[in-house]
Amino acid sequence: MGEARLRVEGVHADEMILDGLTSALHDDLRALSTVVVRRADSGPAPANSKSGPATSISDLLVTGLGPAVVLGVYRTIVAYLNRAKARSVTWIQDGREVTLTALSDSAQQKVIEQLAAQEPREKPQD
């Protein structure tokens, strides 16, 4: 299963507002119960992360990402962006970054396909 860093960006957001926006996304993702999500400032950065030590209040670490889970996480982020005052959420995984904003359905499908393609397929057990 994969691991990713999600970085929340707000419009003219000070530290307190960014903390609140990040907490709201954290709560939304925890409600999925298919992934483990925690504040990035509570531990080390994911392996292969470009950004080094995890200290930003606007970063979340999400673990348990597999091809079947990515769509639910993505939809949760888009729903969050449609109602929150966050400008975007950047998905950072294995040195790649994808910035998510509220997108049209066709654009959403392309992003989902890109994210799912990044996850290695689990090998069937004999």
Side-chain angles (χ1 to χ4, degrees):
M1 292 287 171
E3 186 172 60
R5 175 186 300 265
L6 302 178
R7 179 168 296 139
V8 176
E9 295 182 34
V11 178
H12 308 294
D14 63 20
E15 209 168 272
M16 190 170 83
I17 292 170
L18 249 149
D19 184 49
L21 290 169
T22 305
S23 292
L25 179 57
H26 176 271
D27 293 346
D28 288 357
L29 291 169
R30 283 190 61 203
L32 286 177
S33 74
T34 54
V35 294
V36 175
V37 60
R38 65 182 172 88
R39 298 296 292 249
D41 53 3
S42 67
N48 303 321
S49 170
K50 286 191 345 184
S51 51
T55 56
S56 175
I57 63 166
S58 65
D59 286 6
L60 298 172
L61 298 178
V62 181
T63 57
L65 292 170
V69 177
V70 169
L71 177 60
V73 172
Y74 175 78
R75 285 184 175 160
T76 300
I77 293 169
V78 170
Y80 160 82
L81 287 169
N82 284 328
R83 73 167 198 287
K85 296 189 186 253
R87 183 179 77 203
S88 65
V89 174
T90 301
W91 185 306
I92 305 165
Q93 187 173 11
D94 298 327
R96 297 185 201 136
E97 295 185 17
V98 177
T99 299
L100 306 172
T101 59
L103 300 171
S104 67
D105 288 341
S106 63
Q108 285 181 24
Q109 185 61 38
K110 288 178 186 174
V111 172
I112 292 166
E113 290 168 1
Q114 285 180 339
L115 292 172
Q118 291 179 16
E119 282 303 311
R121 302 282 181 204
E122 292 182 25
K123 295 180 182 177
Q125 305 235 345
D126 294 327

